[in-house]
Amino acid sequence: MKTNIQQILDNIRISYEYEMGEYLEPSNRTRHKVELRNALVNAARPYGTCTELAKMVGKVNHTTTIHCLNEHDVYHNYSPQYRRNYAKALEVVEKFARRHQLLPRTNGQRGGVVTYESEIDSINLTILSLQKRRNALIEKLQEKRKSCNLHNESTI
């Protein structure tokens, strides 16, 4: 059964508005309302595309989502209200994800066993490559230490 992600995201927004006790009001640009929208977009990011997330909060352009994602660290570091909003948004999003068995998107694709397996394979290959690089560097370091020790012993 294929889920309609936009409908689920709209339900997430409605539930979030209920939990917060106020509407998101897409046209309102006060800091309080902007932080409410940004918190929800950032919490729901693993489950939707930029366009889907923008539509969820009543915007029409995917750049809204990109801007929200870019501002997350600033708001999270400096706004206690944003941290509270974000925590509540995460709670609502995770509840819906469990209820609808949603998997996060990886590499721009809807979550699924295949995408998880390919992501794990990619990570494993990266780890192997880094281990080989690390081992080569350790060998070079040991060779340099030996040559330095030999050089120091011959000058004594």
Side-chain angles (χ1 to χ4, degrees), residues 116-126:
Y116 277 115
E117 287 174 352
S118 65
E119 186 74 7
I120 290 169
D121 289 343
S122 174
I123 290 169
N124 286 338
L125 289 173
T126 302

Side-chain angles (χ1 to χ4, degrees), residues 11-105:
N11 289 338
I12 287 172
R13 177 189 45 79
I14 291 166
S15 180
Y16 176 67
E17 289 173 333
Y18 177 78
E19 291 289 329
M20 299 308 290
E22 58 186 306
Y23 294 110
L24 294 182
E25 300 178 37
S27 61
N28 190 324
R29 294 178 60 171
T30 62
R31 182 181 177 121
H32 173 70
K33 293 294 185 176
V34 170
E35 287 184 6
L36 276 173
R37 285 192 300 268
N38 285 9
L40 181 57
V41 167
N42 280 291
R45 179 61 184 122
Y47 301 101
T49 65
C50 288
T51 303
E52 290 169 340
L53 295 171
K55 287 179 182 175
M56 173 184 66
V57 294
K59 301 292 185 170
V60 293
N61 199 321
H62 75 282
T63 57
T64 299
T65 301
I66 293 169
H67 181 71
C68 290
L69 299 173
N70 289 338
E71 294 298 312
H72 174 71
D73 288 337
V74 173
Y75 283 134
H76 198 271
N77 289 336
Y78 298 106
S79 174
Q81 184 63 40
Y82 178 82
R83 288 191 295 271
R84 186 180 79 77
N85 296 346
Y86 183 64
K88 184 56 75 175
L90 279 176
E91 182 181 310
V92 169
V93 168
E94 288 172 3
K95 180 175 73 175
F96 270 83
R98 281 191 305 274
R99 181 182 305 153
H100 295 283
Q101 298 176 346
L102 294 178
L103 295 173
R105 296 165 43 86

